Amino acid sequence: MKKNIPVIKNQQYVLNIDSSGYEGEGIGKVQDFTVFVPGAMPGEEVTAKIVKVNKNFAFGKLLKVITPSKNRVEPICSLYKKCGGCQLQHFSYEAQLEFKKQRVKDCLERIGKLSVKLYEDNLNYDKDIMNKDNTVILYDTIGMENPYNYRNKVQLPVGKEKGEVSIGFYAKRSHQIINMNTCAIQNKESDLILKIIKDWMNGYEIEPYDERSGTGNVRHVMIRKGFKTNEIMVVIVTNSREFPHKDELVETLINEIKSVKSIVQNINMKKTNVILGQECRTIWGNDYISDYIGDFKFNISPLSFFQVNPVQTKMLYDTALKYANLTGSEIVFDAYCGTGTISLFLSKMARKVYGVEIIPEAIYNARINAVQNGVKNVEFIVGESEKVIPDLVNRGVNADVIVVDPPRKGCDRKLLDTIAIMKPKTVVYVSCDPSTLARDLNILGASGYKAVKAQPVDMFPQTAHVETIVLMSRVEGK
Ligand SMILES: C[S@@+](CC[C@H](N)C(=O)[O-])C[C@H]1O[C@@H](n2cnc3c(N)ncnc32)[C@H](O)[C@@H]1O
C-alpha cells in the first residue's frame, strides 16, 4: 500500500522539534512523518520549508525559530551557517556534551540492546548495578575547559574569489571555498599565518591550483602546532616542484612568528582529492616539530598522524589506562594502534604491549616513538588486526587485556571472534562511532563480556563527532 506523505516540497510547516539527529539536526513530525531540520534544536517550535522529500522522511530548511530552546546560543563564528566545519556551534557547550551522551545512550540501548544507567554520585554501583548482566553505566561526557581553538592541525584548500586568493573550509556538501580570516576551533597563530600566505600570493601573483583545469600551483596549506612545545610547522602543498618567491615567504613567516620551526613544501602533482603528496622538501628549519602527550614526546612530520586535540587525547588515554587496570604483569594487545601512542601509555604499567596497525609508515613512527621515549617493552607489528592477532594467539601469545581503537566501521568480526577464543579478562574499546561500538559490544556480550562502564570524551567540540571509551569485563564461567 502506498504510504501517505503529508508534506509537500517548497511548502512551509510549523514543527515542534523533539530530538536531534546524528549530525545535531532537529527532528520534528508532520502527523507521523519525520522531518529533519538542520539548525533547529529539541524543545523549539520552528517554521521550516520542505526542500527534499524521501519515502520515509523529509528535509526542511529552517526559516524561523518561533520559540527558541534555552540551550540555543549565538554561534561565535560569523561563517558558521555557510561553512561545513562545525555542526553544533548553536548549542551551548553543556548542551553539546549532553547531546553526545544521549547519542551514546541511544546507540547502546537500540543497537547494543544494553540497559543504560546514567552515572549518579550517590549510587553504590559495585553492589547494585555492576552485577546485573546487561546494565552499563554511562558517565557524563568529559568536556574541555575552553572548547575553542583546540585543533593542533589546520588543513585548508587554496582558491581564488573575485581576483583575490581565498583560503578556508569548503561550504557544506560542495567544493566552494569559504574564505576565512579566523576560525573558532583552530589554533590562534593560524589566522596570522594564513594572512601572510594570502598577502604573499596576492603580492607576487602566485596562482592557486584550480582542480577543474589542473592549472595553478598552491593547492593547500597545512599548519601544525605542538601545544606543549609551542613549535609550529607550515606546509605549502604545491602542484609542481617549482616554488617561486619562497624566500620572501620564509622571511616574513620567521620574522613575524617566532615559534615557526619548520617550513615544508609538499609536492602533489596528482589529480586527486588526497591533500598531501608523498614528497616533502624542508625549505627552512627542521623536518619535524615535537609535542607531548602526558610525559611522552612525539616527533610530528608533515605526513605523520597525530591526534588533533592533544588536551582531550590525554583524557582519553588516561581513561584507557584506568580501565585497563594493569598491575605490571599483564600482556596487552593494542589493536589498530596508529603511531603507538596508546601502546606507550599502557607500557608504563604492563609487562609487554603488542601494537598492531595496518599502515607501515605508522608502525615506522611508532617504533621511533618507542625508542625516543626509552620504552623497551613494546613490539609493533604491521598488518591487519584480524590476521595478526589470531596469528599471535596461534603462536601461544595471549593477552590479559586488549585495547581496540578501530576506524569508524568498527572491529572486524574475525578479531571479535578471536577475542572470544583468547578470553582476555578485560577489553577496552575506544570508539569514534557509537553505532558500530554498540554493534560490537552486543557481539562481545554474546561471547561472555559484560559492558561495565562507558565514558564519552569530547575530542571535537562544536562538531557532532562522538568519541567513547568502554570497559568490558569477562564474566566468570562464560
Ligand atoms: C582511530 S585510529 C586509532 C589510532 C591510534 N590508536 C591513536 O589513538 O592514535 C584507527 C587506526 O586503525 C588503522 N586500521 C584500519 N584498519 C585496520 C586493520 N584492519 N588492522 C589494523 N589497523 C587498522 C588505521 O590505519 C588507523 O591508524
Side-chain angles (χ1 to χ4, degrees):
M1 205 174 71
K2 203 158 177 256
K3 200 171 160 180
N4 173 35
I5 295 181
V7 293
I8 298 167
K9 194 172 168 187
N10 290 328
Q11 295 237 339
Q12 294 182 18
Y13 295 84
V14 171
L15 292 157
N16 289 310
I17 303 297
D18 45 37
S19 58
S20 295
Y22 285 178
E23 291 289 309
E25 65 278 39
I27 301 178
K29 300 244 185 234
V30 172
Q31 295 168 26
D32 261 352
F33 196 78
T34 299
V35 182
F36 291 95
V37 186
M41 296 181 69
E44 291 187 331
E45 189 184 27
V46 303
T47 311
K49 180 171 136 183
I50 300 299
V51 288
K52 191 170 179 195
V53 184
N54 287 339
K55 208 165 87 188
N56 295 316
F57 53 85
F59 289 97
K61 181 174 188 293
L62 180 64
L63 296 180
K64 188 173 174 204
V65 179
I66 303 165
T67 323
S69 157
K70 66 179 187 337
N71 295 320
R72 178 176 282 280
V73 293
E74 194 54 40
I76 71 165
C77 175
S78 60
L79 299 176
Y80 175 57
K81 282 195 180 142
K82 287 192 203 161
C83 167
C86 296
Q87 300 81 40
L88 300 184
Q89 264 196 39
H90 61 295
F91 282 53
S92 69
Y93 192 50
E94 288 69 32
Q96 293 184 26
L97 299 178
E98 187 59 26
F99 162 82
K100 294 185 185 193
K101 183 168 89 175
Q102 285 304 323
R103 168 91 205 277
V104 176
K105 180 171 186 285
D106 178 52
C107 289
L108 294 180
E109 287 175 341
R110 249 180 352 94
I111 305 169
K113 311 280 179 247
L114 291 162
S115 155
V116 176
K117 180 83 194 162
L118 298 182
Y119 177 79
E120 290 168 47
D121 280 337
N122 56 358
L123 277 184
N124 185 344
Y125 288 96
D126 286 342
K127 292 213 179 91
D128 186 4
I129 295 159
M130 291 282 204
N131 294 333
K132 287 196 187 144
D133 246 11
N134 74 338
T135 304
V136 57
I137 299 159
L138 176 60
Y139 288 79
D140 288 343
T141 311
I142 300 177
M144 296 189 76
E145 215 170 284
N146 172 18
Y148 296 104
N149 305 112
Y150 60 83
R151 285 185 66 99
N152 59 11
K153 182 166 115 175
V154 178
Q155 195 166 263
L156 296 168
V158 182
K160 211 164 195 181
E161 209 185 315
K162 296 185 187 128
E164 292 281 301
V165 171
S166 60
I167 305 181
F169 283 106
Y170 289 124
K172 287 173 193 154
R173 288 178 285 280
S174 95
H175 265 207
Q176 185 207 340
I177 295 169
I178 305 291
N179 185 45
M180 74 181 191
N181 298 320
T182 186
C183 168
I185 60 173
Q186 314 287 13
N187 58 76
K188 287 202 172 113
E189 290 86 345
S190 304
D191 295 349
L192 180 54
I193 295 172
L194 293 177
K195 180 175 181 313
I196 290 172
I197 294 169
K198 280 185 234 175
D199 288 349
W200 166 75
M201 289 183 67
N202 284 325
Y204 291 103
E205 296 183 354
I206 293 164
E207 282 301 308
Y209 174 69
D210 178 339
E211 62 183 1
R212 276 159 304 190
S213 63
T215 57
N217 200 21
V218 179
R219 299 172 69 125
H220 272 82
V221 173
M222 179 166 85
I223 303 165
R224 301 187 91 162
K225 180 183 171 188
F227 273 34
K228 284 251 175 77
T229 58
N230 224 12
E231 294 175 358
I232 290 181
M233 165 183 278
V234 180
V235 181
I236 309 288
V237 185
T238 58
N239 187 39
S240 73
R241 294 207 158 72
E242 307 291 305
F243 198 151
H245 299 288
K246 70 174 184 302
D247 295 341
E248 290 88 341
L249 176 65
V250 167
E251 201 186 317
T252 317
L253 282 173
I254 60 176
N255 283 340
E256 296 214 13
I257 304 159
K258 296 293 172 216
S259 42
V260 169
K261 299 289 174 222
S262 166
I263 304 176
V264 177
Q265 177 187 13
N266 174 274
I267 298 152
N268 185 0
M269 299 198 285
K270 289 195 182 144
K271 256 201 152 193
T272 166
N273 278 340
V274 178
I275 294 172
L276 296 172
Q278 286 305 305
E279 190 180 338
C280 290
R281 290 176 175 176
T282 302
I283 57 172
W284 184 85
N286 299 330
D287 298 341
Y288 58 85
I289 55 167
S290 305
D291 202 16
Y292 289 83
I293 299 176
D295 297 333
F296 293 105
K297 188 177 185 186
F298 298 96
N299 289 350
I300 307 164
S301 48
L303 301 182
S304 63
F305 173 83
F306 195 67
Q307 292 274 359
V308 298
N309 183 338
V311 174
Q312 292 301 86
T313 299
K314 165 88 168 56
M315 296 290 179
L316 187 74
Y317 291 178
D318 281 344
T319 308
L321 188 58
K322 186 169 83 183
Y323 284 6
N325 195 21
L326 302 172
T327 62
S329 63
E330 292 85 358
I331 301 285
V332 182
F333 289 170
D334 177 16
Y336 310 91
C337 73
T339 50
T341 38
I342 296 182
S343 306
L344 293 193
F345 257 65
L346 298 168
S347 71
K348 301 189 269 195
M349 300 295 293
R351 175 148 59 103
K352 178 153 185 188
V353 182
Y354 293 86
V356 183
E357 160 65 43
I358 201 166
I359 295 181
E361 292 80 9
I363 288 290
Y364 174 79
N365 281 320
R367 289 178 182 143
I368 292 177
N369 289 336
V371 172
Q372 165 155 297
N373 288 286
V375 175
K376 297 202 169 69
N377 59 337
V378 293
E379 184 175 331
F380 291 110
I381 306 170
V382 181
E384 293 164 82
S385 296
E386 58 274 22
K387 289 205 177 123
V388 172
I389 290 178
D391 285 351
L392 284 168
V393 175
N394 286 338
R395 280 170 30 208
V397 185
N398 284 292
D400 303 294
V401 175
I402 180 164
V403 177
V404 296
D405 183 6
R408 295 182 73 91
K409 66 179 181 185
C411 288
D412 190 278
R413 182 63 201 239
K414 279 187 240 121
L415 177 66
L416 298 176
D417 292 344
T418 307
I419 292 174
I421 294 164
M422 182 170 60
K423 298 189 174 34
K425 67 177 191 295
T426 303
V427 179
V428 179
Y429 197 129
V430 183
S431 153
C432 53
D433 185 332
S435 312
T436 53
L437 165 72
R439 177 202 67 200
D440 291 350
L441 295 188
N442 184 268
I443 295 171
L444 286 167
S447 23
Y449 284 90
K450 174 184 163 26
V452 182
K453 320 173 180 191
Q455 173 67 72
V457 180
D458 193 17
M459 299 288 283
F460 304 100
Q462 317 307 330
T463 79
H465 293 290
V466 184
E467 190 91 9
T468 319
I469 178 157
V470 174
L471 165 63
M472 295 198 93
S473 287
R474 177 132 201 103
V475 181
E476 291 301 323
K478 283 209 177 172

